[in-house]
Amino acid sequence: MATSLRLGLTGDVMLGRLVDERHRNRSVGAVWGDLREHLRSLDALAINLECALSTRGQPWTLTHRPFHFRADPDWAVPALEDVDVSFAALANNHVLDFEEPALYDTLSELEDAGIAHTGAGRDETEAFEPATITVGDLRVTFVSFTDNTPEYAAAGDEPGTAFLPIEDDEEAARERAREALLAARDERSDLLVASLHWGPNMVEEPAPAHRRFARFLVEEGVDLIHGHSAHVFQGIEVIDGVPVCYDCGDFVDDYAIDRRLHNDRSFLFEARLEPDTGEIGELRLFPTRIDNCAVYRATEPAASWSRDRMRERSEPFGTSFERDGEELVLEL
């Protein structure tokens, strides 16, 4: 039996502010803590990049923004390369924090590093273009959308994010998404992944509109949904055999910790792919924790807390997990 291919997925990777300050003088892989070798062993790794990669630009002031995130590419890009990040989702509420110059730098830095990306662009067409990577002999295509921060939306020739008004105008969101998914299907890939930055912070369950939109995406041929934005992981639903990770939580950041919700705890989500077909055989969840602006394997009792919360948050969707050592396993 052929060995399955391993596609890793993370929640928010925010390399700005204190993370940026501390890792400029640390070794290139320090931000990945004791997960570095695990990440390097994956066949592909997809993240939500929750910051700009630039030293240019001015903080966004056209609308109120309490936080502005950017990382110096001199250390941040080598750190991404160190664990072979394959894909970065850019449709989020921080990629334009330092306005157009920093966005342009982010796109250029990722392109120069050979890291596929979508979800933001120099114009609307580029923001919605799919991105395709190879995983073994498979072709995996990503689309990336957000319903956060409409003022960052790309429009016509204006740069910005692939914005969809999922909660405010579901039909308009579906129509725009259909266009992007049509282009993605033209890639004739083995697996189609939708990476979505949706919903408010510190919310433990998806909004009804997001559950409806997830079903729409599955009906349109998406094979895996990679959600993020809430800073806490949410439950996993399986819709017609498609795993929907509504929110993968935070993977790296410097955020204040909510002692009830524990936004410093989450998982590395690992989809095991059949090497000949791209079908997902199982989804494995490795408990993680953030400490001192780096990510580490969660040890007890934090790992147990995360496993229990994931089971509780997934139970309303009828989803159950097996246990394999420290991991949760979802058979598909």
Side-chain angles (χ1 to χ4, degrees), residues 112-187:
D112 290 347
I115 298 174
H117 58 85
T118 186
R122 299 170 182 88
D123 56 31
E124 183 178 358
T125 298
E126 185 179 39
F128 279 91
E129 281 180 354
T132 298
I133 64 173
T134 57
V135 183
D137 291 330
L138 301 175
R139 286 170 56 82
V140 177
T141 293
F142 290 83
V143 293
S144 180
F145 311 125
T146 183
D147 65 358
N148 286 193
T149 319
E151 59 266 38
Y152 282 8
D157 294 334
E158 296 296 317
T161 61
F163 175 79
L164 298 178
I166 295 173
E167 291 196 80
D168 294 333
D169 190 340
E170 290 186 45
E171 189 52 42
R174 292 184 183 201
E175 285 302 312
R176 189 64 186 88
R178 282 191 184 98
E179 296 178 30
L181 293 170
L182 179 61
R185 286 194 292 271
D186 286 344
E187 294 286 303

